[in-house]
Amino acid sequence: MASVHNLIVKRGEAEILKNFSAEFPEHQVTAVSGCGKTTLLSVLLNLLPADSGEIHGFQKPSAVFQEDRLLPYLTAAKNISVAAGCTETAAEKALLQVGFDPEDLKKNAVQLSGGMARRVSIVRAMLTSGDAVLLDEPFKGLDDLTREKVMQFVKENLKNRTTILVTHDPRDAKDLKAVKIIEMETEK
């Protein structure tokens, strides 16, 4: 079971996480909402140090960030293949599954719409191997039809990985069959 115990994260004098503890069932989806959730994911990804606490079971997570974080002058498929270690052909096939038009496969990331960039980020995380997937508001900005295609792709590619889904939309937790919902609280 992946877990965090007594996690404390400060920014200046403010405590973003104060003695936060949680368990994340292996091979299942846990939804997280409330305050401090993006900070939690940043700590789990080793992008932000914790001031104290213990983390277990997140050896090699992949992630969808709130920002798409694409290399602007590479194609969508190249962005995926570089990060995920797959072929560009596999990346292109996955992009077509999430509703990319074949002509859009030739565009550099800087030329993509917000919804297209979001799909590239999702495909990149899903095709990256690892023990966990951390999804920070992954479906934001997608219209309902696109969201449906992307949701199906995500479900097919979770591959029994431990998943943390940060979301404000209860549909996301329901559609990904979250077995647990953690509501993070603000410390006063």
Side-chain angles (χ1 to χ4, degrees):
M1 170 126 2
S3 62
V4 296
H5 298 284
N6 299 318
L7 203 59
I8 295 175
V9 178
K10 297 178 183 178
R11 287 196 184 140
E13 295 299 312
E15 283 190 322
I16 308 303
L17 298 176
K18 183 177 181 180
N19 294 320
F20 178 75
S21 295
E23 292 185 339
F24 305 96
E26 284 187 60
H27 316 298
Q28 303 290 326
V29 177
T30 300
V32 178
S33 63
C35 297
K37 55 200 177 305
T38 298
T39 299
L40 172 64
L41 296 189
S42 294
V43 170
L44 296 177
L45 290 163
N46 288 316
L47 299 174
L48 179 69
D51 292 286
S52 65
E54 296 177 17
I55 300 168
H56 303 282
F58 294 95
Q59 301 305 314
K60 188 183 171 196
S62 64
V64 173
F65 300 93
Q66 283 189 21
E67 318 81 31
D68 297 313
R69 298 184 182 198
L70 302 178
L71 299 169
Y73 297 103
L74 295 181
T75 64
K78 189 68 172 175
N79 263 281
I80 294 165
S81 68
V82 164
C86 66
T87 66
E88 284 185 59
T89 302
E92 288 176 352
K93 181 179 175 187
L95 288 167
L96 293 172
Q97 286 180 275
V98 296
F100 256 63
D101 184 284
E103 285 300 310
D104 293 328
L105 295 174
K106 299 173 187 169
K107 293 180 180 177
N108 286 338
V110 72
Q111 300 169 298
L112 301 176
S113 70
M116 293 165 73
R118 174 102 314 228
R119 287 180 274 168
V120 174
S121 297
I122 291 168
V123 169
R124 177 182 60 200
M126 293 296 101
L127 295 186
T128 300
S129 64
D131 63 341
V133 180
L134 310 180
L135 306 170
D136 197 352
E137 300 284 351
F139 308 109
K140 72 176 182 177
L142 299 179
D143 63 69
D144 286 341
L145 182 61
T146 302
R147 180 188 175 281
E148 202 173 293
K149 286 180 186 177
V150 173
M151 181 65 72
Q152 185 60 40
F153 179 82
V154 169
K155 286 192 244 184
E156 290 170 2
N157 287 277
L158 281 178
K159 299 176 183 158
N160 291 319
R161 292 181 279 187
T162 302
T163 302
I164 299 177
L165 169 67
V166 167
T167 186
H168 293 290
D169 189 339
R171 291 183 310 165
D172 296 345
K174 181 181 176 209
D175 290 349
L176 285 180
K177 295 179 174 47
V179 297
K180 184 175 185 178
I181 298 175
I182 297 172
E183 182 66 41
M184 298 179 73
E185 295 181 24
T186 307
E187 291 292 329
K188 302 283 184 200

